[in-house]
Structure formats: structure tokens, C-alpha cells
Amino acid sequence: MSVSALQRRAREARSWLFDSCFPLWADHGVNEAGLFPEALTTSLDDATVDTTRVRVQARQTYVFAEAWRMGWKRDTAARLVNAGVATLAGPALNAQGLSGRALSYTTGQLTDPAFDLYDAAFTLFALAEAARGPGPAEHALAAANGILANLDREARDRVNGGYAEALPPPAQRQQNPHMHLLEACLSLHTLQPDGGHLARADELASLFETKFTAGDQGLLGEFFAPHWSPLPGDASRIVEPGHQFEWVWLLHAYARARGEAVSASAERLYAYALTTLDVEGRAIQTAARGGAPVDASRRTWPQTEALKAHLAMLEAHRDERYAAAACRSFDILMDEYLTEDGGWIDHFGADGAILSSSMPASTGYHVVLAFAELIRVMGA
């Protein structure tokens, strides 16, 4: 029964994307210059901020590439993707040929040229996803490979592994941008199987196994010392359940790309993340490694990552309990977080009070990817 119930929810997800989400963000979430704003107000106006992050341009480029592949208004979707690619492969790049951090929403010029690995990872992911469709693939992939070459030259940490999260390298390392760089590498690998992207993914997966999860209980840490050793205090004690779930999904995607069994770490992270859910099944922001809530507020994105993890486990094991868990996460999203007009309430307090006053555009990547996975896994 749970699988058939999940199939109905997959059809509901497609309807919400086509009838509400894609139209809202195509009509209200882009300006005449083809730039995507940081957020929309609840009255569907651009939030009054004259800068927009490069990662937002990348994430929204992905959203409309996914819309195009699903068959939603392909002329409109292609126009928005092409505008995003033009930005990411042009004015969003700094003098080093790396992604900067922020653009003027009015002029489209780079206002913060500082390199950030997180922005670079999403730029690479968006260019790969645009190349998958609607393309043209050659331009997007050439831009992605140019950024990768510059990334290797300027930011690769050849001693400790991974990449500098910023330049000059910061005193504290982070797993999160490396996670998204792995995601980008897998997307690029589907298009260029002989492009060396899987070898880079292997290096990042090795960092995950040997450094990111080297702390207590083998859970995913967030912040590390320069040599990837654990930091003292809360920096190592506190973890993010949403990222535990996100890696579960990513490890399954990596295993498919390698044609190998899924890492045992996926089961461990999944089992732990389940223990941190609240009584209704919602994912919280942070928890101690023992499972006790630290920040019990709830944002949209961890709910989507829980859904993706349940789907990955369902696809791997075909067990009804994972379908039931996916149904529960989907219902939480639809009933509490997503709005009928295609937006979202992004942040609730632990007491259920609404903490967000606008709809961050960056959240769309999480929602659309989770729903795309639901539709894919359920064949809807």
C-alpha cells in the first residue's frame, strides 16, 4: 500500500511543479536581465535587495533545466536556463576564472568577486544540468571544464585533500561545499564519462570516508581543522541531520555511477538521522551526536533531504517501510512548507511559529530535486 500511495504523491508532486512552482518562479522570480532574485516576498515581489548570490543563479538555472526536461513550457524554460548559463559562464566569474559570490541584481555585474567553493560547486552543477537539457551542451561544458581547470590550479589542496573553501584558505575546513562538488562531478560524469569527473568524485568520496566521518559514531561532521582533524567543542559535537540525509542520497548516486555497492556509511547515517526526527517525522536543524536536539527549528531543505534519503533507500531495498517514510516526508512538505501558489514557508521555530518573512529562491533547488527524484523513482 505504501508504494502505491507514494505513486499518487509522485503525481501530486508533478502537478504542483507544473501548475504552481515553475509558473510562479518564471513569472515573478526573474528580472528583465535574466537574473534571479535572492527571494520573493509573500506578496510575490522581489525582495528589496540589490545583490543576488551566484549560487542562487546556479540553483535557479538547475530548476528550469529540470522543468525543461520534465516538459514544462520548454521555450520559457530554455530561455531562463540560457540566461542562467550566460551569467554563470560570464559576469559571475572573477579574474581567476572562478565563481564569485554576488552580483548586482540591477546591472548583473560582479559585486563580490571573492572565490567561494560552495558557489563554484553549484555553478559546475548548474552548467552540467543545463548541458543535459536544454543545452547547448558544448558551451556549458566548456565553461564547466574551464572552471574546473582554474579550481585545480588555484584551490586544490594537494597536501590534505579537497579544495580550499575560500582564497586565501580559511582556518576552518567544511564538508558542505565538497559534498556539492561531488554532486557536480557526478552530473558532469553522466555527460563526459571520459572527462576525469569520476576520478575527482572518487577523491571526494574518499575524503568523506576517511575525514568527514572520522569522528564519534562515524557520523558526518561539518567543520574541521586545516588538516581535516576534528575541532574541539561544539564544532565537532553538533551535526546537521539534513546533511546526514543528503549524503545518504549522494552515496547511492555515487554507487550507481561507480557500478558498485553502496557504502556502509549510508546505512549508518540514515539510521542516525531517523533518530533525530521529531514525533511527527520532521527533520530539525542541528542535533548532538547522541541525537538530542540542539536547534529544533525546522527549515524546508532538511525535509526535502529526508525525502531523498527515503527514496534512495527504497530504490536500493524495495522495502515498504522506506515508501511509508517517504510518504510521511512528502506530506510534511505539502501540508506545512509548500504553498498552493508554488512557494514555501522556509523556516519554522521549534514551537511551530513561522520564522521566515520571505521565500528564498535558493530553496527551490532542494524542493525541485527532491520531487524530481520522487517522480523518477516512482516512474511518474
Side-chain angles (χ1 to χ4, degrees):
M1 292 297 291
S2 295
V3 170
S4 61
L6 193 57
Q7 288 174 329
R8 292 195 299 273
R9 285 162 173 81
R11 293 192 291 271
E12 184 181 352
R14 180 181 285 274
S15 295
W16 182 83
L17 290 172
F18 273 54
D19 298 340
S20 300
C21 180
F22 296 149
L24 170 68
W25 293 94
D27 292 342
H28 298 276
V30 62
N31 69 9
E32 293 181 357
L35 293 167
F36 305 111
E38 274 291 306
L40 295 179
T41 67
T42 53
S43 57
L44 307 184
D45 298 317
D46 293 355
T48 55
V49 178
D50 188 44
T51 58
T52 183
R53 289 173 298 170
V54 169
R55 70 188 62 176
V56 171
Q57 309 312 301
R59 286 185 172 198
Q60 290 296 81
T61 299
Y62 157 72
V63 163
F64 288 108
E66 197 70 77
W68 186 91
R69 290 194 294 269
M70 287 184 180
W72 178 83
K73 293 188 177 180
R74 284 193 152 175
D75 288 345
T76 299
R79 173 175 55 82
L80 295 172
V81 172
N82 290 334
V85 169
T87 297
L88 297 170
L93 299 179
N94 63 19
Q96 297 164 300
L98 295 168
S99 303
R101 285 180 177 161
L103 302 152
S104 165
Y105 187 57
T106 303
T107 68
Q109 298 303 303
L110 201 59
T111 58
D112 183 353
F115 163 72
D116 188 304
L117 182 60
Y118 193 94
D119 294 284
F122 269 106
T123 296
L124 291 166
F125 175 71
L127 291 170
E129 291 296 302
R132 283 181 59 204
E138 294 79 6
H139 175 54
L141 289 176
N145 286 314
I147 293 169
L148 279 172
N150 296 329
L151 187 65
D152 282 340
R153 185 186 67 249
E154 302 288 343
R156 182 186 278 274
D157 186 340
R158 301 184 187 281
V159 175
N160 304 300
Y163 294 82
E165 291 82 357
L167 294 173
Q172 190 167 263
R173 309 299 302 274
Q174 296 181 55
Q175 74 79 22
N176 194 13
H178 291 83
M179 173 180 70
H180 288 297
L181 184 57
L182 172 55
E183 180 182 23
C185 289
L186 294 179
S187 187
L188 286 164
H189 173 68
T190 64
L191 296 157
Q192 295 180 314
D194 298 323
H197 305 298
L198 195 55
R200 194 185 307 269
D202 291 342
E203 294 176 10
L204 295 166
S206 178
L207 266 184
F208 166 83
E209 297 288 357
T210 61
K211 302 297 184 182
F212 300 167
T213 55
D216 291 347
Q217 302 166 258
L219 301 178
L220 176 71
E222 294 291 335
F223 302 102
F224 303 85
H227 301 291
W228 293 114
S229 56
L231 290 167
D234 284 350
S236 291
R237 183 180 69 87
I238 296 173
V239 298
E240 296 191 24
H243 284 157
Q244 314 290 321
F245 280 128
E246 197 162 4
W247 268 101
V248 171
W249 172 80
L250 190 57
L251 289 170
H252 281 81
Y254 173 67
R256 286 197 302 273
R258 293 290 303 158
E260 297 176 353
V262 179
S263 166
S265 298
E267 291 276 1
R268 182 172 67 250
L269 268 56
Y270 183 74
Y272 167 80
L274 289 180
T275 69
T276 68
L277 298 175
D278 74 8
V279 293
E280 301 296 331
R282 307 180 192 93
I284 63 172
Q285 284 300 102
T286 61
R289 287 180 182 261
V294 174
D295 177 358
S297 70
R298 311 181 303 271
R299 292 189 62 196
T300 303
W301 75 263
Q303 319 312 318
T304 68
E305 299 308 329
L307 174 57
K308 284 164 57 183
H310 301 322
L311 291 168
M313 298 296 285
L314 173 63
E315 189 173 31
H317 301 289
R318 292 297 168 185
D319 188 314
E320 284 274 336
R321 60 182 168 144
Y322 301 120
C327 285
R328 184 170 63 171
S329 287
F330 178 84
D331 290 347
I332 287 168
L333 278 164
M334 291 300 293
D335 294 346
E336 300 180 22
Y337 291 85
L338 305 184
T339 61
E340 291 185 4
D341 61 8
W344 33 79
I345 300 169
D346 192 61
H347 200 177
F348 289 93
D351 59 358
I354 296 176
L355 301 181
S356 52
S357 58
S358 63
M359 297 185 290
S362 58
T363 302
Y365 148 82
H366 291 282
V367 176
V368 172
L369 181 51
F371 280 10
E373 278 292 274
L374 173 58
I375 292 164
R376 180 188 68 80
V377 172
M378 301 313 298

